[in-house]
Amino acid sequence: MKTIDLSIKIGFCQLDELSEDEQHLIQTAISATGNSYSPYSKFRVGAALLLANGVEVMGANQENAAFPSGLCAERSAIFAAQSTYPDQPITLLAIAAANEYGLMRDPIVPCGACRQVILEIESRYNQPIRILLYGTSGVYVIDTVKDLLPLQFVGESMK
Ligand code: THU
């Protein structure tokens, strides 16, 4: 059997190496962690996205006593943005998280379901979304969600 080598490269940098827009969006994601409703996990996730029209939209994880009824921060932000601005591509997405001790040192990455939803938005607008994953130790910079989902299932896959 042959093997197929799928390799990815992601960036790692400090906040001050990012553009002003990117730094601002990360600050918005950090402040969105304060809007998390997470009495069960006590893990506060904040997401912030920038639309092509320049509007920033926030999201935070929303939990529920019936666990699967909750929603991650990323999808909360994406669905709110697309519900309000259905024609606006998302250009940038920032994510931050905190536990009971404060902001996480290592960046957290979107869960599989959120990756799939981000992929649908990239595919819907035919435009990559730059993803900034914030940790107090630095920021992972990812140019497209395809780097987090190397084999992708999209609408085209069914044709
Ligand atoms: N969570 C997010 O909001 N985003 C992620 O990417 C990972 C997990 C939330 C879901 C749940 O409220 C808590 O973090 C613990 O899993």
Side-chain angles (χ1 to χ4, degrees), residues 36-38 41-46 60-63 70-75 95 108-112 114:
S36 163
Y37 175 68
S38 41
S41 71
K42 303 201 177 351
F43 189 59
R44 291 179 281 119
V45 185
N61 57 328
Q62 303 296 319
E63 297 185 350
L71 195 62
C72 291
E74 296 88 328
R75 276 176 288 162
I95 301 163
I108 69 143
V109 295
C111 77
C114 288

Side-chain angles (χ1 to χ4, degrees), residues 51-133:
L51 297 173
N53 63 4
V55 171
E56 278 188 4
V57 177
M58 292 170 128
N61 57 328
Q62 303 296 319
E63 297 185 350
N64 190 280
F67 287 4
S69 305
L71 195 62
C72 291
E74 296 88 328
R75 276 176 288 162
S76 300
I78 291 168
F79 293 152
Q82 294 301 300
S83 302
T84 315
Y85 304 97
D87 301 322
Q88 288 299 315
I90 296 169
T91 58
L92 203 55
L93 172 66
I95 301 163
N99 62 16
E100 332 169 53
Y101 305 106
L103 287 167
M104 304 305 288
R105 181 180 181 282
D106 296 326
I108 69 143
V109 295
C111 77
C114 288
R115 292 178 198 199
Q116 184 68 29
V117 168
I118 300 166
L119 177 68
E120 184 86 18
I121 302 288
E122 285 197 356
S123 154
R124 176 172 169 182
Y125 296 103
N126 196 23
Q127 195 169 303
I129 299 174
R130 190 168 157 91
I131 303 172
L132 307 171
L133 305 176

